[in-house]
Amino acid sequence: GKKVFPQPAIIELIQDKRKQKKFFDSHSIPTAEFILVEDRKEIINHKTFLPAVNKLGREGYDGRGVQILRNESDISKAFDAPGLLEKLIDFEKEISVIVSRNEKGEISSYPAVEMVFHAEANLVEYLFSPAQISHTIATKADQIARKIIEKLELVGLLAVEMFVTKDGQVLVNEVAPRPHNSGHQTIEANVTSQYEQHLRAILNLSPGSTSIISPSAMVNLLGEDGYSGLAKYEGLEEVLSLTGTHVHLYGKKLTKPFRKMGHVTLLGRDRIELNM
């Protein structure tokens, strides 16, 4: 008898990448070509589909449950469990749009951000807001994000991760029905943070302004490769002395390689200053 947002049926759909992909396909939402597979043996039967990304249907998170299979010799490391093969996209950029929807059906979206992934850990290492993309690409990405949350009828916040291909296509990679790593910079850099926007949505309040106050970059603080144990923070005072720098530590006592331990948001006048 209690309302739960986002709705449990939507969570069930999204936490299974196979169902997620079929949802995109059934609603004409652009995404990479894919094949559903049950085990490693079935992947062997689709070797002509390679190069592809092999994803577990369930339980993948932050780079886990994802393998790139470039040729037949890589099939030995494929997941021997229900999942999918997704055509490897030669993309130019990876972007994300965070969108919200309340029970009244009011939809609001943030300007797209540009994400850079850690080559080894396959998770967001840093991002820039706003993304350096054309108005046409930005409009496409925004329309796709709004279409997904509308078709899902989701109440709350939805992060939509997308590829921008070299020929100007925008393809959905994955979605997450919650405040997301690609929206942390909104705490300082946008009028309304993603967390406030989520609360506004589930309380059926009108959405807050998503306007950018300042261009920004967000850097994930990841556990150092090769070390596990009690967390130690080095260089904190030096970082805090920099103008426009905001450090967020997550209070995790233990660290391990590539574990998200916090993030730093940098505010600047433009992309050039942020790159410095």
Side-chain angles (χ1 to χ4, degrees):
K2 301 290 185 184
K3 287 183 179 181
V4 177
F5 298 125
Q7 302 93 313
I10 297 173
I11 299 295
E12 183 182 22
L13 183 154
I14 289 176
Q15 68 186 184
D16 188 326
K17 290 184 174 67
R18 291 154 62 93
K19 291 182 180 179
Q20 195 180 134
K21 278 288 189 179
K22 288 194 289 185
F23 174 84
F24 297 154
D25 197 41
S26 66
H27 289 88
S28 301
I29 293 164
T31 189
E33 184 183 354
F34 67 95
I35 297 172
L36 301 184
V37 292
E38 296 300 322
D39 51 29
R40 188 180 296 131
K41 185 184 295 185
E42 195 170 344
I43 291 175
I44 296 172
N45 297 333
H46 293 291
K47 60 187 179 184
T48 57
F49 191 73
L50 304 181
V53 180
N54 179 209
K55 296 181 179 181
L56 280 175
R58 299 175 66 87
E59 299 180 1
Y61 182 76
D62 270 355
R64 294 184 288 276
V66 178
Q67 292 273 15
I68 295 178
L69 308 179
R70 297 190 182 278
N71 49 52
E72 191 174 348
S73 64
D74 287 337
I75 294 177
S76 60
K77 67 181 182 181
F79 299 114
D80 197 19
L84 58 96
L85 286 179
E86 184 181 277
K87 203 70 178 174
L88 189 63
I89 300 298
D90 185 21
F91 60 85
E92 186 175 306
K93 294 185 178 186
E94 290 191 68
I95 62 173
S96 174
V97 172
I98 290 181
V99 60
S100 70
R101 179 180 176 276
N102 61 19
E103 280 192 277
K104 291 179 284 190
E106 293 176 310
I107 294 174
S108 179
S109 56
Y110 288 85
V113 302
E114 184 176 335
M115 304 181 292
V116 179
F117 280 73
H118 191 286
E120 183 179 343
N122 195 34
L123 49 76
V124 177
E125 189 168 15
Y126 56 93
L127 63 77
F128 292 101
S129 173
Q132 283 193 328
I133 51 179
S134 69
H135 176 72
T136 300
I137 295 295
T139 300
K140 279 186 189 178
D142 188 75
Q143 289 173 343
I144 290 169
R146 287 170 175 265
K147 180 177 180 179
I148 293 174
I149 202 168
E150 184 176 25
K151 293 298 182 182
L152 285 170
E153 297 184 2
L154 182 144
V155 174
L157 210 66
L158 186 72
V160 183
E161 297 179 75
M162 293 172 265
F163 299 120
V164 178
T165 67
K166 293 179 179 178
D167 61 355
Q169 295 183 74
V170 180
L171 305 176
V172 176
N173 180 21
E174 293 177 0
V175 299
R178 53 177 168 77
H180 192 254
N181 202 212
S182 62
H184 286 336
Q185 80 290 340
T186 61
I187 298 170
E188 288 88 17
N190 293 70
V191 174
T192 307
S193 80
Q194 65 168 343
Y195 298 97
E196 179 183 337
Q197 197 76 309
H198 177 66
L199 289 173
R200 283 172 175 259
I202 64 176
L203 294 173
N204 207 20
L205 300 173
S206 295
S209 170
T210 59
S211 297
I212 292 174
I213 298 170
S214 169
S216 61
M218 188 280 294
V219 182
N220 270 323
L221 300 177
L222 304 176
E224 187 171 345
D225 192 13
Y227 176 79
S228 295
L230 291 174
K232 303 174 185 177
Y233 297 96
E234 297 179 355
L236 186 59
E237 289 191 13
E238 290 87 339
V239 171
L240 289 171
S241 69
L242 299 174
T243 302
T245 302
H246 302 267
V247 178
H248 297 263
L249 302 179
Y250 300 159
K252 298 176 181 178
K253 291 184 178 180
L254 299 177
T255 184
K256 57 184 177 181
F258 308 118
R259 187 184 191 194
K260 288 179 184 173
M261 303 299 292
H263 72 269
V264 179
T265 298
L266 309 167
L267 304 182
R269 289 169 298 201
D270 50 37
R271 184 74 168 261
I272 295 172
E273 183 179 14
L274 290 169
N275 275 324
M276 294 171 63

